[in-house]
Amino acid sequence: MKVLVAVKRVVDHNVKVRVLADGSDVDIGSAKRAMNPFDEIAVEEAVRLKEAGVASEVVVVSCGVAACQDTLRSALAMGADRAVLVDTAAELQPLAVARLLHALCQREQPQLVICGKQAIDDDAGQTGQMLAALLDWPQATNASKLRPGDGHIEVTREIDGGSEVLALTLPAVLTTDLRLNEPRFVSLPNLMKAKKKPVDSVTPESLGVDVAPRLRTLHMAPPPARTPGVRVDSVAQLMERLRAEAQVI
Amino acid sequence: MKTLVIAEHDNAVLHPVTLHAVTAALQFGGEIDLLVAGHDCAVVAGQARRIAGVARVLHADAAHYADQLAEPLTELLRSVLAGTADHYTHVVAAAGGFARNLLPRVAARLGVAPVTDVVRIESPETFVRPIYAGNVLATVQSLDALKMLTVRATAFAAAPTGGDCPVLPLAAAADPACSRLVARQRVQGGRPDLGSARVVVSGGRALGSADNFRRLLEPLADTLNAALGASRAAVDAGFVGNDSQVGQTGRVVAPELYIAVGISGAIQHVAGMKDSRVIVAINRDADAPIFGIADYGLVADIFEAVPALTQALAGCGEGNFSS
């Protein structure tokens, strides 16, 4: 079966972003970029499905500026077979990305789509579910274990306070949680090999998708800072403060 | 202005986060309908009609809603909302695993861009939500006619009960029958749920082992009737199950009292607990970033300080800590 994986280029998770002085945006100018960590888990899972003989081909897709090719190359170096860049400088919100992926799925006809459960920049956590809705396919979000079968897949997913197992009819859309796997490190030979793998380029226009944002960002601000606390020297002092001052015990 | 709130429940008990979603919906000033979709869940509809401020409870009861799967519920919500796009102006659900799974699916079906994890409502179309792990608050305006949002329960008070509204039966929609629940496991520890506990005790990597985690933190949590949480590092080290993870990618909590034991205070953890009313940090490393946000910091060996704290708390009487 063909597996399609969506990957997003985001500010590296170690970078602490700041808001521009005028509150119009975040200041991420030259900050280091990387593949969204949950998407990396999605690529890893797809490659493992291929290594296990379950997947026949792994196609990775990224939507955004030309530099997203770097992200696609990382995915190819991890073991994906080929890549598609939806090349656009437009601001892309989750619904627009889901529509772009929907259009690509109609072209590529995958049996399984794997997305990260959320991107660590906008923290929206929507794209996979929206894509599933547009395709009218079943979904399993926050997946922590996959058991592919014939025409269906069993997915263990994390829920509040526990976990559940769903059986989905294929084709289906999954989103990954942290515990699904630990992505591999990319070796230099694989990085070199990835340079020879094909990267297609399309545009939202060629896919016939309107990506106009439906949410307008009016303002950005840092969250209110907590007032600095105090150091206590002993458990007894802590108890006294919690009782008399904070009145929380 | 008319809002549909989606109730969260397990066919027996209305989840308390629903009360917080109602409070958020009340800020729009219009009428509120509450959707209870499940199977044999009349008892939940009965609880829902008591929420003050709710005008009507819409009760859909069918076998294919028993497991709260996204696919059948989406078809139901689509039939409720699509026919009346000029009728409901807002759809609200409490942010959490249930709504995160369901709401974007419904929204895409209707061609709406949802706004997730809202922490403040500025106007009927303008919402504030955290991005970048809570390091930035973005104010966004929805351009869609129908606004769909999930709201953080910790950012809105619980609506009071005492209401008495009618329950209207709602016809079930067709079952897409493309997904099936095979098994569901909830971790039962006899402790309050992380999302609603008054006190949360959390442990980090410094605990060193699963055994230490239990030995040190369980007595403290028991004494305070607290929920047990953990940093991602502690979860990844296998000290405790992943459902205990507090942080950007885990549970977001805002209890009255949060006690961080041996937690360094990584950005992604802080994003999940910084809205707690009182934060206590106990850590041997005086330079740990957690001290930068703690109200009370104790630089100490956790293996000595935590048992001492447990003992001191136990000594000051029981029964004062019920959540």
Short mmCIF file of all heavy atoms in Angstrom, two decimals, chain A residues 118-174:
data_model
loop_
_atom_site.label_atom_id
_atom_site.label_comp_id
_atom_site.label_asym_id
_atom_site.label_seq_id
_atom_site.Cartn_x
_atom_site.Cartn_y
_atom_site.Cartn_z
N GLN A 118 0.20 17.54 15.94
CA GLN A 118 0.13 19.00 15.98
C GLN A 118 1.48 19.54 15.55
O GLN A 118 2.49 18.84 15.62
CB GLN A 118 -0.24 19.53 17.37
CG GLN A 118 0.89 19.57 18.39
CD GLN A 118 0.40 19.79 19.82
OE1 GLN A 118 -0.26 18.95 20.39
NE2 GLN A 118 0.77 20.91 20.40
N ALA A 119 1.50 20.78 15.06
CA ALA A 119 2.76 21.42 14.75
C ALA A 119 3.15 22.26 15.96
O ALA A 119 2.29 22.84 16.62
CB ALA A 119 2.62 22.31 13.52
N ILE A 120 4.45 22.31 16.24
CA ILE A 120 4.88 22.98 17.47
C ILE A 120 4.97 24.49 17.30
O ILE A 120 5.38 25.19 18.22
CB ILE A 120 6.22 22.42 17.99
CG1 ILE A 120 7.32 22.60 16.94
CG2 ILE A 120 6.08 20.95 18.37
CD1 ILE A 120 8.71 22.43 17.53
N ASP A 121 4.57 25.02 16.14
CA ASP A 121 4.53 26.49 16.03
C ASP A 121 3.11 27.01 16.32
O ASP A 121 2.89 27.71 17.29
CB ASP A 121 5.06 26.99 14.67
CG ASP A 121 4.48 26.26 13.48
OD1 ASP A 121 3.55 25.44 13.66
OD2 ASP A 121 4.94 26.51 12.36
N ASP A 122 2.12 26.61 15.50
CA ASP A 122 0.77 27.13 15.76
C ASP A 122 -0.02 26.27 16.74
O ASP A 122 -1.10 26.68 17.18
CB ASP A 122 -0.01 27.33 14.45
CG ASP A 122 -0.23 26.03 13.68
OD1 ASP A 122 -0.18 24.95 14.30
OD2 ASP A 122 -0.46 26.09 12.47
N ASP A 123 0.51 25.09 17.09
CA ASP A 123 -0.15 24.22 18.08
C ASP A 123 -1.64 23.98 17.78
O ASP A 123 -2.43 23.78 18.69
CB ASP A 123 -0.01 24.78 19.51
CG ASP A 123 1.38 24.55 20.08
OD1 ASP A 123 2.03 23.58 19.69
OD2 ASP A 123 1.82 25.36 20.94
N ALA A 124 -2.01 24.00 16.49
CA ALA A 124 -3.43 23.90 16.17
C ALA A 124 -3.98 22.49 16.35
O ALA A 124 -5.08 22.30 16.89
CB ALA A 124 -3.67 24.39 14.73
N GLY A 125 -3.25 21.48 15.90
CA GLY A 125 -3.73 20.10 16.05
C GLY A 125 -4.99 19.82 15.26
O GLY A 125 -5.94 19.24 15.79
N GLN A 126 -5.05 20.24 14.02
CA GLN A 126 -6.28 20.12 13.23
C GLN A 126 -6.13 19.41 11.90
O GLN A 126 -7.09 18.80 11.41
CB GLN A 126 -6.82 21.53 12.93
CG GLN A 126 -7.10 22.37 14.17
CD GLN A 126 -7.44 23.81 13.82
OE1 GLN A 126 -7.39 24.21 12.66
NE2 GLN A 126 -7.79 24.58 14.83
N THR A 127 -4.96 19.52 11.27
CA THR A 127 -4.84 19.18 9.85
C THR A 127 -5.25 17.73 9.53
O THR A 127 -5.99 17.50 8.57
CB THR A 127 -3.40 19.44 9.37
OG1 THR A 127 -3.10 20.82 9.64
CG2 THR A 127 -3.27 19.20 7.88
N GLY A 128 -4.79 16.76 10.33
CA GLY A 128 -5.10 15.37 10.04
C GLY A 128 -6.60 15.09 10.06
O GLY A 128 -7.15 14.45 9.16
N GLN A 129 -7.27 15.59 11.11
CA GLN A 129 -8.72 15.38 11.23
C GLN A 129 -9.45 16.04 10.06
O GLN A 129 -10.43 15.50 9.53
CB GLN A 129 -9.24 15.97 12.54
CG GLN A 129 -8.63 15.39 13.81
CD GLN A 129 -7.42 16.17 14.25
OE1 GLN A 129 -6.43 16.32 13.52
NE2 GLN A 129 -7.46 16.70 15.46
N MET A 130 -8.98 17.24 9.68
CA MET A 130 -9.64 17.95 8.57
C MET A 130 -9.45 17.21 7.26
O MET A 130 -10.37 17.11 6.45
CB MET A 130 -9.07 19.36 8.47
CG MET A 130 -9.45 20.21 9.66
SD MET A 130 -8.78 21.86 9.46
CE MET A 130 -10.20 22.79 9.79
N LEU A 131 -8.25 16.69 7.05
CA LEU A 131 -8.00 15.93 5.83
C LEU A 131 -8.91 14.69 5.80
O LEU A 131 -9.51 14.38 4.76
CB LEU A 131 -6.52 15.52 5.76
CG LEU A 131 -6.15 14.59 4.61
CD1 LEU A 131 -6.42 15.27 3.26
CD2 LEU A 131 -4.69 14.16 4.71
N ALA A 132 -9.00 13.99 6.92
CA ALA A 132 -9.87 12.81 7.00
C ALA A 132 -11.30 13.18 6.64
O ALA A 132 -11.98 12.45 5.91
CB ALA A 132 -9.80 12.19 8.40
N ALA A 133 -11.75 14.33 7.12
CA ALA A 133 -13.12 14.77 6.84
C ALA A 133 -13.31 15.05 5.35
O ALA A 133 -14.30 14.63 4.76
CB ALA A 133 -13.44 16.03 7.65
N LEU A 134 -12.34 15.73 4.75
CA LEU A 134 -12.47 16.09 3.34
C LEU A 134 -12.45 14.83 2.46
O LEU A 134 -13.14 14.76 1.44
CB LEU A 134 -11.34 17.04 2.93
CG LEU A 134 -11.34 18.41 3.64
CD1 LEU A 134 -10.10 19.21 3.25
CD2 LEU A 134 -12.60 19.20 3.32
N LEU A 135 -11.64 13.84 2.86
CA LEU A 135 -11.56 12.59 2.10
C LEU A 135 -12.72 11.66 2.43
O LEU A 135 -12.94 10.68 1.74
CB LEU A 135 -10.24 11.87 2.42
CG LEU A 135 -8.95 12.52 1.88
CD1 LEU A 135 -7.74 11.98 2.62
CD2 LEU A 135 -8.82 12.26 0.38
N ASP A 136 -13.42 11.96 3.54
CA ASP A 136 -14.46 11.08 4.07
C ASP A 136 -13.86 9.72 4.43
O ASP A 136 -14.44 8.67 4.16
CB ASP A 136 -15.62 10.93 3.07
CG ASP A 136 -16.90 10.52 3.78
OD1 ASP A 136 -16.91 10.51 5.02
OD2 ASP A 136 -17.88 10.19 3.08
N TRP A 137 -12.68 9.74 5.02
CA TRP A 137 -12.00 8.54 5.48
C TRP A 137 -12.06 8.50 7.02
O TRP A 137 -12.19 9.56 7.65
CB TRP A 137 -10.52 8.54 5.08
CG TRP A 137 -10.28 8.39 3.61
CD1 TRP A 137 -11.20 8.24 2.61
CD2 TRP A 137 -8.99 8.42 2.98
NE1 TRP A 137 -10.56 8.15 1.40
CE2 TRP A 137 -9.21 8.25 1.59
CE3 TRP A 137 -7.67 8.55 3.45
CZ2 TRP A 137 -8.16 8.22 0.67
CZ3 TRP A 137 -6.63 8.52 2.53
CH2 TRP A 137 -6.87 8.35 1.15
N PRO A 138 -11.94 7.32 7.62
CA PRO A 138 -11.86 7.27 9.09
C PRO A 138 -10.53 7.83 9.58
O PRO A 138 -9.58 7.95 8.80
CB PRO A 138 -12.00 5.79 9.40
CG PRO A 138 -11.59 5.08 8.16
CD PRO A 138 -11.94 5.99 7.02
N GLN A 139 -10.47 8.15 10.85
CA GLN A 139 -9.28 8.77 11.42
C GLN A 139 -8.92 8.14 12.76
O GLN A 139 -9.78 7.65 13.47
CB GLN A 139 -9.52 10.27 11.64
CG GLN A 139 -10.54 10.55 12.75
CD GLN A 139 -10.86 12.03 12.88
OE1 GLN A 139 -11.13 12.71 11.89
NE2 GLN A 139 -10.85 12.54 14.11
N ALA A 140 -7.63 8.18 13.07
CA ALA A 140 -7.18 7.83 14.42
C ALA A 140 -6.11 8.85 14.80
O ALA A 140 -5.02 8.85 14.22
CB ALA A 140 -6.63 6.42 14.49
N THR A 141 -6.45 9.74 15.72
CA THR A 141 -5.50 10.76 16.14
C THR A 141 -4.69 10.25 17.34
O THR A 141 -5.12 9.32 18.02
CB THR A 141 -6.23 12.06 16.54
OG1 THR A 141 -7.28 11.73 17.45
CG2 THR A 141 -6.87 12.71 15.31
N ASN A 142 -3.55 10.86 17.58
CA ASN A 142 -2.69 10.53 18.72
C ASN A 142 -2.32 9.05 18.77
O ASN A 142 -2.41 8.41 19.80
CB ASN A 142 -3.37 10.91 20.04
CG ASN A 142 -3.67 12.39 20.14
OD1 ASN A 142 -3.94 13.04 19.14
ND2 ASN A 142 -3.61 12.93 21.33
N ALA A 143 -1.91 8.52 17.61
CA ALA A 143 -1.62 7.09 17.53
C ALA A 143 -0.33 6.75 18.28
O ALA A 143 0.66 7.46 18.19
CB ALA A 143 -1.48 6.67 16.07
N SER A 144 -0.36 5.66 19.04
CA SER A 144 0.85 5.22 19.73
C SER A 144 1.27 3.81 19.31
O SER A 144 2.33 3.33 19.69
CB SER A 144 0.66 5.27 21.25
OG SER A 144 -0.41 4.45 21.64
N LYS A 145 0.41 3.12 18.52
CA LYS A 145 0.81 1.80 18.00
C LYS A 145 -0.08 1.43 16.82
O LYS A 145 -1.29 1.68 16.86
CB LYS A 145 0.67 0.74 19.10
CG LYS A 145 1.26 -0.59 18.71
CD LYS A 145 1.30 -1.59 19.86
CE LYS A 145 1.99 -2.85 19.35
NZ LYS A 145 1.89 -3.95 20.28
N LEU A 146 0.52 0.87 15.77
CA LEU A 146 -0.25 0.48 14.58
C LEU A 146 -0.16 -1.03 14.38
O LEU A 146 0.89 -1.62 14.57
CB LEU A 146 0.31 1.15 13.32
CG LEU A 146 0.59 2.65 13.32
CD1 LEU A 146 1.00 3.09 11.92
CD2 LEU A 146 -0.61 3.43 13.81
N ARG A 147 -1.27 -1.63 14.00
CA ARG A 147 -1.27 -3.03 13.58
C ARG A 147 -2.03 -3.13 12.26
O ARG A 147 -3.25 -3.30 12.24
CB ARG A 147 -1.95 -3.91 14.66
CG ARG A 147 -1.02 -4.35 15.79
CD ARG A 147 -1.79 -5.06 16.89
NE ARG A 147 -2.80 -4.17 17.46
CZ ARG A 147 -2.57 -3.29 18.45
NH1 ARG A 147 -1.37 -3.21 18.98
NH2 ARG A 147 -3.53 -2.51 18.89
N PRO A 148 -1.30 -3.01 11.14
CA PRO A 148 -1.97 -3.02 9.85
C PRO A 148 -2.49 -4.42 9.53
O PRO A 148 -1.83 -5.42 9.81
CB PRO A 148 -0.86 -2.63 8.86
CG PRO A 148 0.38 -2.42 9.66
CD PRO A 148 0.16 -2.89 11.04
N GLY A 149 -3.70 -4.48 8.97
CA GLY A 149 -4.27 -5.75 8.56
C GLY A 149 -4.65 -5.68 7.10
O GLY A 149 -4.18 -4.81 6.37
N ASP A 150 -5.49 -6.60 6.67
CA ASP A 150 -5.89 -6.66 5.27
C ASP A 150 -7.15 -5.80 5.08
O ASP A 150 -8.22 -6.17 5.52
CB ASP A 150 -6.17 -8.12 4.89
CG ASP A 150 -6.36 -8.27 3.39
OD1 ASP A 150 -6.00 -7.34 2.65
OD2 ASP A 150 -6.89 -9.32 2.97
N GLY A 151 -6.98 -4.65 4.46
CA GLY A 151 -8.12 -3.76 4.23
C GLY A 151 -8.53 -2.95 5.44
O GLY A 151 -9.48 -2.18 5.41
N HIS A 152 -7.81 -3.16 6.55
CA HIS A 152 -8.10 -2.37 7.74
C HIS A 152 -6.83 -2.17 8.55
O HIS A 152 -5.80 -2.79 8.25
CB HIS A 152 -9.19 -3.04 8.59
CG HIS A 152 -8.69 -4.23 9.34
ND1 HIS A 152 -8.48 -5.46 8.75
CD2 HIS A 152 -8.31 -4.37 10.64
CE1 HIS A 152 -8.02 -6.31 9.65
NE2 HIS A 152 -7.90 -5.69 10.80
N ILE A 153 -6.90 -1.31 9.55
CA ILE A 153 -5.73 -1.12 10.43
C ILE A 153 -6.24 -0.93 11.85
O ILE A 153 -7.26 -0.29 12.08
CB ILE A 153 -4.87 0.08 9.96
CG1 ILE A 153 -3.56 0.16 10.76
CG2 ILE A 153 -5.65 1.41 10.07
CD1 ILE A 153 -2.52 1.08 10.13
N GLU A 154 -5.53 -1.56 12.79
CA GLU A 154 -5.84 -1.35 14.22
C GLU A 154 -4.86 -0.34 14.78
O GLU A 154 -3.65 -0.49 14.59
CB GLU A 154 -5.76 -2.66 15.00
CG GLU A 154 -7.08 -3.39 15.02
CD GLU A 154 -7.11 -4.51 16.06
OE1 GLU A 154 -6.26 -4.52 16.99
OE2 GLU A 154 -8.00 -5.35 15.95
N VAL A 155 -5.40 0.66 15.44
CA VAL A 155 -4.55 1.74 15.95
C VAL A 155 -4.81 1.93 17.44
O VAL A 155 -5.96 2.11 17.86
CB VAL A 155 -4.84 3.07 15.22
CG1 VAL A 155 -3.90 4.16 15.71
CG2 VAL A 155 -4.74 2.90 13.71
N THR A 156 -3.74 1.88 18.23
CA THR A 156 -3.86 2.27 19.63
C THR A 156 -3.64 3.76 19.69
O THR A 156 -2.68 4.28 19.12
CB THR A 156 -2.79 1.56 20.49
OG1 THR A 156 -2.93 0.15 20.31
CG2 THR A 156 -2.98 1.89 21.97
N ARG A 157 -4.56 4.47 20.33
CA ARG A 157 -4.42 5.93 20.41
C ARG A 157 -4.54 6.40 21.84
O ARG A 157 -5.23 5.80 22.66
CB ARG A 157 -5.43 6.63 19.49
CG ARG A 157 -6.88 6.32 19.78
CD ARG A 157 -7.78 7.04 18.78
NE ARG A 157 -7.66 8.48 18.90
CZ ARG A 157 -8.50 9.23 19.63
NH1 ARG A 157 -9.52 8.70 20.27
NH2 ARG A 157 -8.33 10.52 19.72
N GLU A 158 -3.84 7.49 22.12
CA GLU A 158 -3.84 8.03 23.48
C GLU A 158 -5.06 8.92 23.66
O GLU A 158 -5.38 9.74 22.82
CB GLU A 158 -2.54 8.79 23.73
CG GLU A 158 -1.35 7.88 23.55
CD GLU A 158 -0.03 8.48 23.99
OE1 GLU A 158 -0.03 9.65 24.43
OE2 GLU A 158 0.98 7.78 23.89
N ILE A 159 -5.77 8.70 24.76
CA ILE A 159 -6.91 9.54 25.09
C ILE A 159 -6.68 10.08 26.50
O ILE A 159 -5.77 9.64 27.20
CB ILE A 159 -8.24 8.75 25.02
CG1 ILE A 159 -8.19 7.53 25.94
CG2 ILE A 159 -8.52 8.31 23.59
CD1 ILE A 159 -9.52 6.78 26.05
N ASP A 160 -7.49 11.05 26.91
CA ASP A 160 -7.31 11.62 28.25
C ASP A 160 -7.45 10.51 29.29
O ASP A 160 -8.48 9.85 29.34
CB ASP A 160 -8.36 12.71 28.51
CG ASP A 160 -8.14 13.93 27.62
OD1 ASP A 160 -7.07 14.02 27.01
OD2 ASP A 160 -9.05 14.78 27.54
N GLY A 161 -6.43 10.30 30.07
CA GLY A 161 -6.51 9.33 31.15
C GLY A 161 -6.43 7.87 30.71
O GLY A 161 -6.87 6.99 31.44
N GLY A 162 -5.88 7.59 29.55
CA GLY A 162 -5.73 6.20 29.15
C GLY A 162 -5.47 6.03 27.67
O GLY A 162 -4.85 6.89 27.05
N SER A 163 -5.95 4.91 27.13
CA SER A 163 -5.75 4.66 25.71
C SER A 163 -6.90 3.83 25.18
O SER A 163 -7.66 3.24 25.95
CB SER A 163 -4.43 3.91 25.48
OG SER A 163 -4.49 2.63 26.06
N GLU A 164 -7.06 3.80 23.85
CA GLU A 164 -8.09 2.96 23.25
C GLU A 164 -7.54 2.40 21.94
O GLU A 164 -6.58 2.91 21.37
CB GLU A 164 -9.38 3.76 23.01
CG GLU A 164 -9.27 4.84 21.96
CD GLU A 164 -10.57 5.66 21.79
OE1 GLU A 164 -11.43 5.63 22.68
OE2 GLU A 164 -10.68 6.33 20.75
N VAL A 165 -8.17 1.31 21.50
CA VAL A 165 -7.79 0.69 20.23
C VAL A 165 -8.96 0.83 19.27
O VAL A 165 -10.09 0.49 19.61
CB VAL A 165 -7.45 -0.81 20.42
CG1 VAL A 165 -7.05 -1.43 19.08
CG2 VAL A 165 -6.34 -0.98 21.45
N LEU A 166 -8.68 1.39 18.09
CA LEU A 166 -9.70 1.53 17.06
C LEU A 166 -9.35 0.62 15.88
O LEU A 166 -8.17 0.45 15.57
CB LEU A 166 -9.78 2.97 16.55
CG LEU A 166 -10.16 4.08 17.53
CD1 LEU A 166 -10.18 5.41 16.80
CD2 LEU A 166 -11.51 3.80 18.17
N ALA A 167 -10.37 0.07 15.24
CA ALA A 167 -10.17 -0.63 13.97
C ALA A 167 -10.76 0.26 12.89
O ALA A 167 -11.94 0.62 12.95
CB ALA A 167 -10.87 -1.98 14.01
N LEU A 168 -9.93 0.65 11.93
CA LEU A 168 -10.36 1.55 10.85
C LEU A 168 -10.35 0.80 9.52
O LEU A 168 -9.43 0.04 9.25
CB LEU A 168 -9.43 2.76 10.73
CG LEU A 168 -9.12 3.60 11.97
CD1 LEU A 168 -8.18 4.74 11.58
CD2 LEU A 168 -10.39 4.13 12.59
N THR A 169 -11.36 1.08 8.71
CA THR A 169 -11.35 0.58 7.34
C THR A 169 -10.38 1.44 6.54
O THR A 169 -10.40 2.66 6.66
CB THR A 169 -12.77 0.72 6.74
OG1 THR A 169 -13.69 0.13 7.66
CG2 THR A 169 -12.87 0.01 5.41
N LEU A 170 -9.54 0.82 5.73
CA LEU A 170 -8.63 1.59 4.87
C LEU A 170 -9.36 2.02 3.59
O LEU A 170 -10.24 1.29 3.14
CB LEU A 170 -7.40 0.74 4.52
CG LEU A 170 -6.45 0.44 5.69
CD1 LEU A 170 -5.38 -0.54 5.26
CD2 LEU A 170 -5.81 1.72 6.22
N PRO A 171 -9.01 3.15 3.02
CA PRO A 171 -7.96 4.09 3.43
C PRO A 171 -8.34 4.89 4.67
O PRO A 171 -9.52 5.07 4.96
CB PRO A 171 -7.82 4.99 2.20
CG PRO A 171 -9.16 4.94 1.52
CD PRO A 171 -9.68 3.56 1.78
N ALA A 172 -7.30 5.38 5.38
CA ALA A 172 -7.53 6.10 6.64
C ALA A 172 -6.44 7.15 6.85
O ALA A 172 -5.40 7.12 6.20
CB ALA A 172 -7.53 5.11 7.79
N VAL A 173 -6.72 8.06 7.77
CA VAL A 173 -5.75 9.10 8.15
C VAL A 173 -5.38 8.91 9.62
O VAL A 173 -6.25 8.72 10.47
CB VAL A 173 -6.34 10.52 7.96
CG1 VAL A 173 -5.34 11.59 8.42
CG2 VAL A 173 -6.74 10.76 6.51
N LEU A 174 -4.09 8.95 9.90
CA LEU A 174 -3.61 8.82 11.28
C LEU A 174 -2.80 10.05 11.66
O LEU A 174 -2.17 10.67 10.81
CB LEU A 174 -2.68 7.60 11.43
CG LEU A 174 -3.11 6.27 10.82
CD1 LEU A 174 -2.04 5.22 11.10
CD2 LEU A 174 -4.44 5.84 11.40
#
